[in-house]
PDB file of all heavy atoms in Angstrom:
ATOM      1  N   TRP A 757       3.252  18.544  16.138  1.00  0.00           N
ATOM      2  CA  TRP A 757       1.902  18.990  16.516  1.00  0.00           C
ATOM      3  C   TRP A 757       0.936  18.371  15.511  1.00  0.00           C
ATOM      4  O   TRP A 757       1.036  18.615  14.308  1.00  0.00           O
ATOM      5  CB  TRP A 757       1.825  20.522  16.561  1.00  0.00           C
ATOM      6  CG  TRP A 757       0.453  21.085  16.350  1.00  0.00           C
ATOM      7  CD1 TRP A 757      -0.761  20.518  16.635  1.00  0.00           C
ATOM      8  CD2 TRP A 757       0.149  22.387  15.814  1.00  0.00           C
ATOM      9  NE1 TRP A 757      -1.786  21.377  16.302  1.00  0.00           N
ATOM     10  CE2 TRP A 757      -1.251  22.524  15.791  1.00  0.00           C
ATOM     11  CE3 TRP A 757       0.942  23.423  15.346  1.00  0.00           C
ATOM     12  CZ2 TRP A 757      -1.898  23.678  15.316  1.00  0.00           C
ATOM     13  CZ3 TRP A 757       0.313  24.577  14.874  1.00  0.00           C
ATOM     14  CH2 TRP A 757      -1.083  24.679  14.873  1.00  0.00           C
ATOM     15  N   LEU A 759      -2.831  17.858  14.033  1.00  0.00           N
ATOM     16  CA  LEU A 759      -4.197  18.404  13.940  1.00  0.00           C
ATOM     17  C   LEU A 759      -5.175  17.359  14.476  1.00  0.00           C
ATOM     18  O   LEU A 759      -4.826  16.184  14.625  1.00  0.00           O
ATOM     19  CB  LEU A 759      -4.502  18.773  12.479  1.00  0.00           C
ATOM     20  CG  LEU A 759      -3.668  19.980  11.961  1.00  0.00           C
ATOM     21  CD1 LEU A 759      -4.085  20.349  10.540  1.00  0.00           C
ATOM     22  CD2 LEU A 759      -3.839  21.171  12.857  1.00  0.00           C
ATOM     23  N   ASP A 768     -15.434  20.389   9.747  1.00  0.00           N
ATOM     24  CA  ASP A 768     -14.381  21.387   9.944  1.00  0.00           C
ATOM     25  C   ASP A 768     -13.049  20.643  10.107  1.00  0.00           C
ATOM     26  O   ASP A 768     -12.240  20.954  10.983  1.00  0.00           O
ATOM     27  CB  ASP A 768     -14.697  22.269  11.167  1.00  0.00           C
ATOM     28  CG  ASP A 768     -13.682  23.414  11.368  1.00  0.00           C
ATOM     29  OD1 ASP A 768     -12.938  23.697  10.406  1.00  0.00           O
ATOM     30  OD2 ASP A 768     -13.628  23.985  12.465  1.00  0.00           O
ATOM     31  N   TYR A 771     -11.969  19.589  13.612  1.00  0.00           N
ATOM     32  CA  TYR A 771     -12.197  20.501  14.737  1.00  0.00           C
ATOM     33  C   TYR A 771     -13.659  20.436  15.200  1.00  0.00           C
ATOM     34  O   TYR A 771     -14.047  21.143  16.119  1.00  0.00           O
ATOM     35  CB  TYR A 771     -11.807  21.935  14.361  1.00  0.00           C
ATOM     36  CG  TYR A 771     -10.302  22.163  14.411  1.00  0.00           C
ATOM     37  CD1 TYR A 771      -9.541  22.113  13.265  1.00  0.00           C
ATOM     38  CD2 TYR A 771      -9.651  22.355  15.621  1.00  0.00           C
ATOM     39  CE1 TYR A 771      -8.174  22.285  13.311  1.00  0.00           C
ATOM     40  CE2 TYR A 771      -8.287  22.518  15.682  1.00  0.00           C
ATOM     41  CZ  TYR A 771      -7.565  22.483  14.519  1.00  0.00           C
ATOM     42  OH  TYR A 771      -6.178  22.653  14.594  1.00  0.00           O
ATOM     43  N   ASP A 772     -14.422  19.619  14.521  1.00  0.00           N
ATOM     44  CA  ASP A 772     -15.798  19.322  14.929  1.00  0.00           C
ATOM     45  C   ASP A 772     -15.810  17.902  15.485  1.00  0.00           C
ATOM     46  O   ASP A 772     -15.934  16.937  14.762  1.00  0.00           O
ATOM     47  CB  ASP A 772     -16.759  19.476  13.744  1.00  0.00           C
ATOM     48  CG  ASP A 772     -16.276  18.739  12.492  1.00  0.00           C
ATOM     49  OD1 ASP A 772     -15.041  18.560  12.295  1.00  0.00           O
ATOM     50  OD2 ASP A 772     -17.143  18.293  11.696  1.00  0.00           O
ATOM     51  N   GLU A 806      -4.381  18.167  20.100  1.00  0.00           N
ATOM     52  CA  GLU A 806      -5.356  19.255  20.209  1.00  0.00           C
ATOM     53  C   GLU A 806      -6.367  18.989  21.329  1.00  0.00           C
ATOM     54  O   GLU A 806      -6.884  17.885  21.464  1.00  0.00           O
ATOM     55  CB  GLU A 806      -6.151  19.328  18.903  1.00  0.00           C
ATOM     56  CG  GLU A 806      -5.314  19.737  17.708  1.00  0.00           C
ATOM     57  CD  GLU A 806      -5.374  21.237  17.429  1.00  0.00           C
ATOM     58  OE1 GLU A 806      -6.131  21.955  18.102  1.00  0.00           O
ATOM     59  OE2 GLU A 806      -4.610  21.648  16.543  1.00  0.00           O
ATOM     60  N   VAL A 808      -9.731  20.575  21.859  1.00  0.00           N
ATOM     61  CA  VAL A 808     -10.731  21.482  21.277  1.00  0.00           C
ATOM     62  C   VAL A 808     -11.944  21.477  22.173  1.00  0.00           C
ATOM     63  O   VAL A 808     -12.801  20.616  22.079  1.00  0.00           O
ATOM     64  CB  VAL A 808     -11.126  21.002  19.838  1.00  0.00           C
ATOM     65  CG1 VAL A 808     -12.057  22.004  19.171  1.00  0.00           C
ATOM     66  CG2 VAL A 808      -9.910  20.745  19.001  1.00  0.00           C
ATOM     67  N   HIS A 811     -15.996  24.043  21.687  1.00  0.00           N
ATOM     68  CA  HIS A 811     -17.220  23.584  21.002  1.00  0.00           C
ATOM     69  C   HIS A 811     -17.063  22.106  20.672  1.00  0.00           C
ATOM     70  O   HIS A 811     -15.969  21.553  20.730  1.00  0.00           O
ATOM     71  CB  HIS A 811     -17.429  24.365  19.696  1.00  0.00           C
ATOM     72  CG  HIS A 811     -16.154  24.486  18.889  1.00  0.00           C
ATOM     73  ND1 HIS A 811     -15.314  25.557  19.026  1.00  0.00           N
ATOM     74  CD2 HIS A 811     -15.615  23.690  17.962  1.00  0.00           C
ATOM     75  CE1 HIS A 811     -14.282  25.407  18.205  1.00  0.00           C
ATOM     76  NE2 HIS A 811     -14.428  24.257  17.544  1.00  0.00           N
ATOM     77  N   PHE A 851     -16.151  33.483  11.570  1.00  0.00           N
ATOM     78  CA  PHE A 851     -16.150  32.971  10.198  1.00  0.00           C
ATOM     79  C   PHE A 851     -17.087  33.836   9.349  1.00  0.00           C
ATOM     80  O   PHE A 851     -18.159  33.416   8.903  1.00  0.00           O
ATOM     81  CB  PHE A 851     -16.569  31.493  10.182  1.00  0.00           C
ATOM     82  CG  PHE A 851     -15.478  30.551  10.642  1.00  0.00           C
ATOM     83  CD1 PHE A 851     -15.739  29.208  10.875  1.00  0.00           C
ATOM     84  CD2 PHE A 851     -14.174  30.998  10.845  1.00  0.00           C
ATOM     85  CE1 PHE A 851     -14.754  28.334  11.302  1.00  0.00           C
ATOM     86  CE2 PHE A 851     -13.171  30.121  11.254  1.00  0.00           C
ATOM     87  CZ  PHE A 851     -13.460  28.785  11.501  1.00  0.00           C
ATOM     88  N   PHE A 873     -18.042  29.476  15.941  1.00  0.00           N
ATOM     89  CA  PHE A 873     -17.441  29.098  14.654  1.00  0.00           C
ATOM     90  C   PHE A 873     -18.593  28.626  13.719  1.00  0.00           C
ATOM     91  O   PHE A 873     -19.619  29.253  13.663  1.00  0.00           O
ATOM     92  CB  PHE A 873     -16.324  28.086  14.871  1.00  0.00           C
ATOM     93  CG  PHE A 873     -15.180  28.713  15.625  1.00  0.00           C
ATOM     94  CD1 PHE A 873     -15.142  28.677  17.035  1.00  0.00           C
ATOM     95  CD2 PHE A 873     -14.190  29.416  14.956  1.00  0.00           C
ATOM     96  CE1 PHE A 873     -14.113  29.287  17.732  1.00  0.00           C
ATOM     97  CE2 PHE A 873     -13.153  30.039  15.664  1.00  0.00           C
ATOM     98  CZ  PHE A 873     -13.122  29.969  17.052  1.00  0.00           C
ATOM     99  N   PHE A 874     -18.428  27.491  13.057  1.00  0.00           N
ATOM    100  CA  PHE A 874     -19.494  27.040  12.171  1.00  0.00           C
ATOM    101  C   PHE A 874     -20.761  26.725  12.945  1.00  0.00           C
ATOM    102  O   PHE A 874     -20.685  26.318  14.118  1.00  0.00           O
ATOM    103  CB  PHE A 874     -19.052  25.782  11.407  1.00  0.00           C
ATOM    104  CG  PHE A 874     -18.036  26.047  10.325  1.00  0.00           C
ATOM    105  CD1 PHE A 874     -16.789  25.405  10.377  1.00  0.00           C
ATOM    106  CD2 PHE A 874     -18.307  26.887   9.261  1.00  0.00           C
ATOM    107  CE1 PHE A 874     -15.834  25.615   9.393  1.00  0.00           C
ATOM    108  CE2 PHE A 874     -17.356  27.102   8.274  1.00  0.00           C
ATOM    109  CZ  PHE A 874     -16.135  26.477   8.331  1.00  0.00           C
ATOM    110  N   GLN A 877     -21.061  23.626  14.986  1.00  0.00           N
ATOM    111  CA  GLN A 877     -20.144  23.491  16.126  1.00  0.00           C
ATOM    112  C   GLN A 877     -20.707  24.273  17.334  1.00  0.00           C
ATOM    113  O   GLN A 877     -20.211  25.350  17.646  1.00  0.00           O
ATOM    114  CB  GLN A 877     -18.765  24.039  15.781  1.00  0.00           C
ATOM    115  CG  GLN A 877     -17.958  23.178  14.839  1.00  0.00           C
ATOM    116  CD  GLN A 877     -16.769  23.890  14.272  1.00  0.00           C
ATOM    117  OE1 GLN A 877     -16.835  25.075  13.954  1.00  0.00           O
ATOM    118  NE2 GLN A 877     -15.651  23.200  14.139  1.00  0.00           N
ATOM    119  N   ARG A 907      -2.585  21.687  22.601  1.00  0.00           N
ATOM    120  CA  ARG A 907      -2.903  22.979  21.991  1.00  0.00           C
ATOM    121  C   ARG A 907      -4.360  23.283  22.329  1.00  0.00           C
ATOM    122  O   ARG A 907      -5.253  22.492  22.030  1.00  0.00           O
ATOM    123  CB  ARG A 907      -2.732  22.914  20.484  1.00  0.00           C
ATOM    124  CG  ARG A 907      -3.262  24.170  19.754  1.00  0.00           C
ATOM    125  CD  ARG A 907      -3.222  23.938  18.234  1.00  0.00           C
ATOM    126  NE  ARG A 907      -3.660  25.085  17.453  1.00  0.00           N
ATOM    127  CZ  ARG A 907      -4.911  25.290  17.037  1.00  0.00           C
ATOM    128  NH1 ARG A 907      -5.869  24.448  17.384  1.00  0.00           N
ATOM    129  NH2 ARG A 907      -5.219  26.329  16.284  1.00  0.00           N
ATOM    130  N   ASP A 909      -7.381  24.950  21.499  1.00  0.00           N
ATOM    131  CA  ASP A 909      -8.017  25.551  20.344  1.00  0.00           C
ATOM    132  C   ASP A 909      -9.040  26.593  20.778  1.00  0.00           C
ATOM    133  O   ASP A 909      -9.826  26.344  21.692  1.00  0.00           O
ATOM    134  CB  ASP A 909      -8.717  24.436  19.537  1.00  0.00           C
ATOM    135  CG  ASP A 909      -9.391  24.961  18.305  1.00  0.00           C
ATOM    136  OD1 ASP A 909      -8.688  25.377  17.385  1.00  0.00           O
ATOM    137  OD2 ASP A 909     -10.648  24.949  18.241  1.00  0.00           O
ATOM    138  N   ALA A 910      -9.032  27.735  20.112  1.00  0.00           N
ATOM    139  CA  ALA A 910     -10.101  28.728  20.281  1.00  0.00           C
ATOM    140  C   ALA A 910     -10.391  29.070  21.753  1.00  0.00           C
ATOM    141  O   ALA A 910     -11.527  29.256  22.133  1.00  0.00           O
ATOM    142  CB  ALA A 910     -11.353  28.235  19.596  1.00  0.00           C
ATOM    143  N   GLU A 951      -4.133  28.932  21.613  1.00  0.00           N
ATOM    144  CA  GLU A 951      -4.419  29.511  20.299  1.00  0.00           C
ATOM    145  C   GLU A 951      -5.364  30.693  20.490  1.00  0.00           C
ATOM    146  O   GLU A 951      -6.566  30.525  20.656  1.00  0.00           O
ATOM    147  CB  GLU A 951      -5.073  28.500  19.372  1.00  0.00           C
ATOM    148  CG  GLU A 951      -5.192  29.047  17.949  1.00  0.00           C
ATOM    149  CD  GLU A 951      -6.586  28.899  17.288  1.00  0.00           C
ATOM    150  OE1 GLU A 951      -7.537  28.487  17.942  1.00  0.00           O
ATOM    151  OE2 GLU A 951      -6.685  29.243  16.099  1.00  0.00           O
ATOM    152  N   ASN A1015       0.060  28.195   8.872  1.00  0.00           N
ATOM    153  CA  ASN A1015      -0.523  27.027   9.521  1.00  0.00           C
ATOM    154  C   ASN A1015      -1.649  26.520   8.655  1.00  0.00           C
ATOM    155  O   ASN A1015      -1.731  26.871   7.469  1.00  0.00           O
ATOM    156  CB  ASN A1015      -0.984  27.340  10.957  1.00  0.00           C
ATOM    157  CG  ASN A1015      -2.067  28.401  10.995  1.00  0.00           C
ATOM    158  OD1 ASN A1015      -2.709  28.710   9.989  1.00  0.00           O
ATOM    159  ND2 ASN A1015      -2.295  28.978  12.153  1.00  0.00           N
ATOM    160  N   HIS A1016      -2.543  25.747   9.199  1.00  0.00           N
ATOM    161  CA  HIS A1016      -3.620  25.096   8.458  1.00  0.00           C
ATOM    162  C   HIS A1016      -4.785  26.057   8.200  1.00  0.00           C
ATOM    163  O   HIS A1016      -5.719  25.694   7.492  1.00  0.00           O
ATOM    164  CB  HIS A1016      -4.119  23.880   9.229  1.00  0.00           C
ATOM    165  CG  HIS A1016      -4.680  24.274  10.574  1.00  0.00           C
ATOM    166  ND1 HIS A1016      -3.922  24.864  11.564  1.00  0.00           N
ATOM    167  CD2 HIS A1016      -5.928  24.224  11.068  1.00  0.00           C
ATOM    168  CE1 HIS A1016      -4.668  25.119  12.603  1.00  0.00           C
ATOM    169  NE2 HIS A1016      -5.903  24.759  12.334  1.00  0.00           N
ATOM    170  N   ASP A1017      -4.771  27.231   8.823  1.00  0.00           N
ATOM    171  CA  ASP A1017      -5.835  28.201   8.654  1.00  0.00           C
ATOM    172  C   ASP A1017      -5.405  29.283   7.661  1.00  0.00           C
ATOM    173  O   ASP A1017      -4.309  29.280   7.156  1.00  0.00           O
ATOM    174  CB  ASP A1017      -6.180  28.826   9.998  1.00  0.00           C
ATOM    175  CG  ASP A1017      -6.896  27.867  10.945  1.00  0.00           C
ATOM    176  OD1 ASP A1017      -7.663  27.017  10.425  1.00  0.00           O
ATOM    177  OD2 ASP A1017      -6.681  27.959  12.152  1.00  0.00           O
ATOM    178  N   ASP A1095     -13.066  26.298   1.378  1.00  0.00           N
ATOM    179  CA  ASP A1095     -12.596  26.663   2.727  1.00  0.00           C
ATOM    180  C   ASP A1095     -11.057  26.689   2.762  1.00  0.00           C
ATOM    181  O   ASP A1095     -10.425  27.307   1.910  1.00  0.00           O
ATOM    182  CB  ASP A1095     -13.209  25.668   3.731  1.00  0.00           C
ATOM    183  CG  ASP A1095     -13.177  26.177   5.164  1.00  0.00           C
ATOM    184  OD1 ASP A1095     -12.835  27.331   5.393  1.00  0.00           O
ATOM    185  OD2 ASP A1095     -13.510  25.375   6.064  1.00  0.00           O
ATOM    186  N   ARG A1096     -10.442  25.997   3.735  1.00  0.00           N
ATOM    187  CA  ARG A1096      -8.974  26.026   3.849  1.00  0.00           C
ATOM    188  C   ARG A1096      -8.339  24.743   3.322  1.00  0.00           C
ATOM    189  O   ARG A1096      -7.158  24.491   3.551  1.00  0.00           O
ATOM    190  CB  ARG A1096      -8.596  26.260   5.326  1.00  0.00           C
ATOM    191  CG  ARG A1096      -8.954  27.662   5.800  1.00  0.00           C
ATOM    192  CD  ARG A1096      -9.287  27.675   7.271  1.00  0.00           C
ATOM    193  NE  ARG A1096     -10.558  27.009   7.503  1.00  0.00           N
ATOM    194  CZ  ARG A1096     -11.077  26.735   8.718  1.00  0.00           C
ATOM    195  NH1 ARG A1096     -10.440  27.121   9.783  1.00  0.00           N
ATOM    196  NH2 ARG A1096     -12.233  26.113   8.844  1.00  0.00           N
ATOM    197  N   ARG A1100      -4.173  22.266   2.687  1.00  0.00           N
ATOM    198  CA  ARG A1100      -4.110  21.000   3.451  1.00  0.00           C
ATOM    199  C   ARG A1100      -4.048  19.792   2.497  1.00  0.00           C
ATOM    200  O   ARG A1100      -4.623  18.767   2.794  1.00  0.00           O
ATOM    201  CB  ARG A1100      -5.320  20.880   4.382  1.00  0.00           C
ATOM    202  CG  ARG A1100      -5.483  22.079   5.298  1.00  0.00           C
ATOM    203  CD  ARG A1100      -6.731  21.956   6.167  1.00  0.00           C
ATOM    204  NE  ARG A1100      -6.965  23.157   6.960  1.00  0.00           N
ATOM    205  CZ  ARG A1100      -7.966  23.300   7.829  1.00  0.00           C
ATOM    206  NH1 ARG A1100      -8.835  22.329   8.007  1.00  0.00           N
ATOM    207  NH2 ARG A1100      -8.102  24.419   8.524  1.00  0.00           N
TER     208      ARG A1100
HETATM  209  C1  GLC B1398      -9.319  27.066  15.316  1.00  0.00           C
HETATM  210  C2  GLC B1398      -8.700  26.158  14.283  1.00  0.00           C
HETATM  211  C3  GLC B1398      -9.521  26.185  12.994  1.00  0.00           C
HETATM  212  C4  GLC B1398     -10.927  25.783  13.307  1.00  0.00           C
HETATM  213  C5  GLC B1398     -11.525  26.657  14.419  1.00  0.00           C
HETATM  214  C6  GLC B1398     -12.832  26.128  14.891  1.00  0.00           C
HETATM  215  O1  GLC B1398      -9.248  28.380  14.949  1.00  0.00           O
HETATM  216  O2  GLC B1398      -7.370  26.507  14.058  1.00  0.00           O
HETATM  217  O3  GLC B1398      -8.961  25.402  12.013  1.00  0.00           O
HETATM  218  O4  GLC B1398     -11.729  25.889  12.149  1.00  0.00           O
HETATM  219  O5  GLC B1398     -10.660  26.673  15.547  1.00  0.00           O
HETATM  220  O6  GLC B1398     -12.638  24.913  15.565  1.00  0.00           O
END
Side-chain angles (χ1 to χ4, degrees):
W757 155 27
L759 292 183
D768 185 16
Y771 282 99
D772 49 331
E806 294 265 355
V808 185
H811 47 268
F851 285 171
F873 295 90
F874 288 121
Q877 288 166 321
R907 172 187 181 269
D909 180 69
E951 188 228 7
N1015 63 16
H1016 62 297
D1017 288 327
D1095 198 8
R1096 292 148 291 173
R1100 305 178 185 182

